[in-house]
Amino acid sequence: MKRILLAFLIAGFSFSAMAQNAYNLIPVPKQLTPAEGSFTIKKGTGISIGDEAFRSVADMLATQCQTVSGIVLPVKIGKASSGIVFVMNSTLGDEAYALNVTSKKIEVQAKTGKGAFYALQTLMQLMPSQIYGKDLLTTALTIPNCNIADEPRFSYRGLMLDVGRHYYPVDHIKRFIDLMAMYKMNIFHWHLTEDQGWRIEIKKYPLLTKISSIRKESTVGRYSDKKFDGKPYGGFYTQEEVKDIVAYAGKKFITVIPEIEMPGHSQAVLAAYPQLGANADRIYQVGTKWGVSEDVLFPREETFTFLENVLTEVMALFPGPYIHIGGDECPKAQWKESRFCQDLIKKEGLKDEHELQSYFIRRIDKFITSKGRKLLGWDEILEGGLSPNATVMSWRGTAGGVEAAKQGHDVVMSPNSFLYFDYYQADPKTEPIAIGGNLTLAKTYSFEPYLPELNAQEAKHVIGIQGNVWTEYIKDLPYAEYMTYPRALALAEIAWSPMASKNYSDFKKRVTGHLPVLDVLKVNYAKAFLKQ
Ligand code: ACM
């Protein structure tokens, strides 16, 4: 066994080593064989597609080539012995592709448009970095010859953006999605509701956008400083905007998972609908401080009706399988003090408030499952007993994920110790304010989702990984890009590339070689890793 592992490692190192320089591919492909020579896109180069499934990807390639070279690449259905050809290969996996570049022909094989899209991302990374821009190229549009066979290690390759603490306009969300797609990430987890702001239009509850989406002021600096700016802050996405973003992501083969937080992180809801909390007569306000609010939803029938109505509208907007219901950081003090909650605990034969939270999540799970969707929640949903159909997102380290996988549940590993991109990535003295932590690019890259505690069967429940961009301190897109890149490149590689190819120094070289692409795209990436 050890010998096989060693052979894999050596194979991995050698192809990774070859992947330097001209082949700065991120994530590194499963197999890459470099070759002498190159293919040049010139006047007369055509694109042939063996199936209509490849048309949108072929059009993307043609458009980008035309933008930077002025060359029109006609896209035709059929076969060809030269030029760029997309061939249907039904023996490949849905996300797999093969890419063979010779001086005469570029051949992409895929089974689906998605596979072809990933081949396109690889092909683009093999071209001069200006392919990503809008300016006319000064050099030829060449692609080094090579043979690549590639497919992802994990099916879930995600990034989360918190738009509750800070609102990101539609165009900025699209840009966030654009960058994800370049590195073959396929899940955008959209954290839409928070104590400090509700950001999605729900037609049945107009106060969610009228009241819950606006806070009267925001925290300035560290929240322990208790300083406020006195300026109202708000924003939300209309259902039309949500549909537009979901469709936009879909064209880049990214599924959007909405998160509607419950029962905690719901203070903004209570500002509009106080009857869903501890005290209907209390005046709640949308949160202005960061941290965990004591004001939580109560497990009343009225609350379940509200949540089911909200989720019904949400499910109509998001066609993907998963609906994230939060479930994290729900303080139990108000439930402890409540006669209603204590009576419900007795009536339902529950042990304590943790089991009451489990009762809450089970009811929501039943509802979501009845609609043919899957519930996804943070690892606190394990406390008090895991709901039967839940998938667990492990954030407080990996213990929750390990526990859930051992119980036979699917798991997304998103440990704060490796994948929280709101953490510092270098010495805080030299960095803009961040929530804390110490998470260098190398540390992120070192994460291995198959934990030693899991046997082979249990490890199969680890469906992938996710990086999280919480935005208490991250007010806008340039800041978010600074925190996300290049760490998201490490995430993309862990999620996609074979374990055997893992090699930080090779990865760092490829990232360094790839920086001109980020420069062309004007990504505000952090450079600290270069000196680490
Ligand atoms: C979390 O970071 N509260 C999921």
Side-chain angles (χ1 to χ4, degrees):
M1 187 61 201
K2 265 203 186 119
R3 274 236 293 277
I4 294 173
L5 192 63
L6 194 67
F8 269 124
L9 284 172
I10 291 165
F13 283 139
S14 60
F15 82 70
S16 294
M18 284 191 292
Q20 288 168 28
N21 306 324
Y23 306 94
N24 277 319
L25 298 173
I26 301 167
V28 74
K30 192 169 180 178
Q31 279 172 35
L32 182 152
T33 313
E36 287 292 317
S38 61
F39 180 96
T40 303
I41 293 175
K42 47 187 178 299
K43 209 157 171 268
T45 303
I47 305 179
S48 309
I49 52 171
D51 194 283
E52 276 301 328
F54 304 135
R55 186 171 294 273
S56 71
V57 172
D59 285 345
M60 286 178 208
L61 173 61
T63 304
Q64 205 53 38
C65 288
Q66 190 178 350
T67 302
V68 300
S69 69
I71 299 168
V72 178
L73 287 88
V75 177
K76 290 201 205 97
I77 189 108
K79 292 185 186 150
S81 56
S82 63
I84 303 170
V85 294
F86 286 82
V87 179
M88 168 64 71
N89 180 345
S90 56
T91 67
L92 293 175
D94 281 353
E95 296 195 301
Y97 69 92
L99 174 65
N100 192 31
V101 182
T102 63
S103 304
K104 187 171 168 213
K105 182 166 105 170
I106 294 180
E107 184 178 284
V108 171
Q109 290 184 25
K111 181 183 166 187
T112 64
K114 194 173 191 183
F117 181 78
Y118 294 142
L120 173 64
Q121 301 321 308
T122 301
L123 191 57
M124 298 266 291
Q125 288 190 15
L126 290 169
M127 290 190 204
S129 55
Q130 293 89 340
I131 185 70
Y132 291 93
K134 303 221 180 307
D135 299 335
L136 272 184
L137 270 170
T138 47
T139 56
L141 205 43
T142 57
I143 298 117
N145 289 348
C146 58
N147 194 5
I148 291 173
D150 202 9
E151 65 182 345
R153 182 177 173 204
F154 291 105
S155 62
Y156 187 117
R157 306 181 296 277
L159 266 187
M160 186 216 75
L161 183 65
D162 163 19
V163 297
R165 273 55 175 263
H166 283 101
Y167 169 82
Y168 286 68
V170 170
D171 282 355
H172 292 188
I173 300 287
K174 288 183 177 171
R175 156 90 167 192
F176 196 78
I177 287 169
D178 288 343
L179 294 179
M180 289 178 64
M182 279 171 55
Y183 305 103
K184 306 184 176 78
M185 287 178 262
N186 65 351
I187 304 281
F188 172 52
H189 169 177
W190 202 3
H191 184 82
L192 284 162
T193 72
E194 257 308 334
D195 293 318
Q196 298 87 3
W198 178 283
R199 306 269 173 248
I200 177 169
E201 177 190 27
I202 301 294
K203 306 249 189 218
K204 203 166 187 132
Y205 298 105
L207 299 185
L208 288 173
T209 37
K210 194 157 174 238
I211 294 175
S212 309
S213 75
I214 304 162
R215 58 178 179 256
K216 73 172 206 269
E217 59 189 357
S218 305
T219 300
V220 180
R222 292 241 164 258
Y223 68 90
S224 48
D225 295 348
K226 299 199 171 61
K227 283 206 193 110
F228 299 92
D229 64 4
K231 290 190 216 133
Y233 182 95
F236 67 89
Y237 307 95
T238 66
Q239 294 203 350
E240 285 311 306
E241 287 172 333
V242 170
K243 281 186 215 159
D244 178 42
I245 285 172
V246 169
Y248 184 87
K251 288 198 189 114
K252 300 194 168 214
F253 299 93
I254 287 178
T255 301
V256 186
I257 297 182
E259 181 179 355
I260 305 296
E261 277 269 21
M262 63 189 79
H265 287 286
S266 297
Q267 192 182 318
V269 175
L270 296 174
Y273 299 100
Q275 65 273 30
L276 307 182
N279 182 351
D281 299 326
R282 212 181 117 185
I283 297 172
Y284 295 90
Q285 61 167 4
V286 179
T288 56
K289 302 186 288 245
W290 316 131
V292 175
S293 170
E294 292 290 327
D295 294 323
V296 301
L297 297 176
F298 267 46
R300 302 185 206 284
E301 286 312 309
E302 196 178 352
T303 308
F304 290 115
T305 303
F306 168 86
L307 290 171
E308 289 182 8
N309 287 334
V310 166
L311 290 172
T312 298
E313 289 192 34
V314 167
M315 285 189 267
L317 295 168
F318 295 90
Y322 290 106
I323 303 294
H324 201 304
I325 54 76
D328 59 318
E329 298 179 319
C330 177
K332 306 292 188 300
Q334 293 185 350
W335 289 3
K336 245 191 176 103
E337 285 161 18
S338 146
R339 163 78 56 81
F340 167 80
C341 289
Q342 295 308 314
D343 286 350
L344 186 58
I345 285 174
K346 273 204 204 90
K347 179 166 156 251
E348 294 294 331
L350 307 171
K351 204 168 81 206
D352 56 16
E353 293 75 27
H354 292 298
E355 288 201 357
L356 185 56
Q357 163 144 341
S358 176
Y359 162 86
F360 196 120
I361 303 295
R362 273 173 211 264
R363 287 196 50 167
I364 297 296
D365 180 7
K366 205 162 160 201
F367 178 72
I368 288 177
T369 303
S370 77
K371 304 293 175 202
R373 306 299 184 92
K374 296 188 199 179
L375 179 144
L376 183 55
W378 301 110
D379 59 59
E380 286 91 333
I381 65 171
L382 278 152
E383 294 163 5
L386 192 50
S387 191
N389 310 299
T391 296
V392 171
M393 190 166 268
S394 190
W395 74 277
R396 295 175 300 175
T398 52
V402 166
E403 173 60 28
K406 284 190 184 294
Q407 289 184 29
H409 288 251
D410 281 351
V411 167
V412 176
M413 290 293 186
S414 189
N416 49 3
S417 37
F418 294 91
L419 302 178
Y420 264 40
F421 299 154
D422 57 335
Y423 282 19
Y424 282 109
Q425 54 199 313
D427 185 345
K429 288 204 251 346
T430 62
E431 289 291 303
I433 187 168
I435 200 130
N438 173 19
L439 190 45
T440 61
L441 180 65
K443 174 91 193 277
T444 293
Y445 189 78
S446 72
F447 180 60
E448 169 44 46
Y450 282 175
L451 280 301
E453 300 95 305
L454 297 173
N455 66 31
Q457 195 54 35
E458 291 158 355
K460 284 198 187 122
H461 284 295
V462 179
I463 60 172
I465 63 171
Q466 180 173 291
N468 295 329
V469 185
W470 298 103
T471 62
E472 287 93 333
Y473 296 109
I474 304 176
K475 293 186 173 59
D476 56 25
L477 187 70
Y479 203 162
E481 286 185 354
Y482 181 84
M483 300 303 281
T484 309
Y485 290 90
R487 288 184 290 192
L489 303 182
L491 172 108
E493 183 145 313
I494 303 164
W496 180 280
S497 305
M499 202 197 312
S501 68
K502 199 156 183 160
N503 175 342
Y504 182 69
S505 83
D506 176 58
F507 171 73
K508 186 174 169 182
K509 274 188 205 131
R510 280 181 284 115
V511 173
T512 308
H514 182 75
L515 294 181
V517 169
L518 299 181
D519 289 331
V520 167
L521 288 165
K522 301 191 169 49
V523 177
N524 185 35
Y525 60 88
K527 299 184 178 72
F529 77 97
L530 290 166
K531 289 195 227 119
Q532 287 166 344

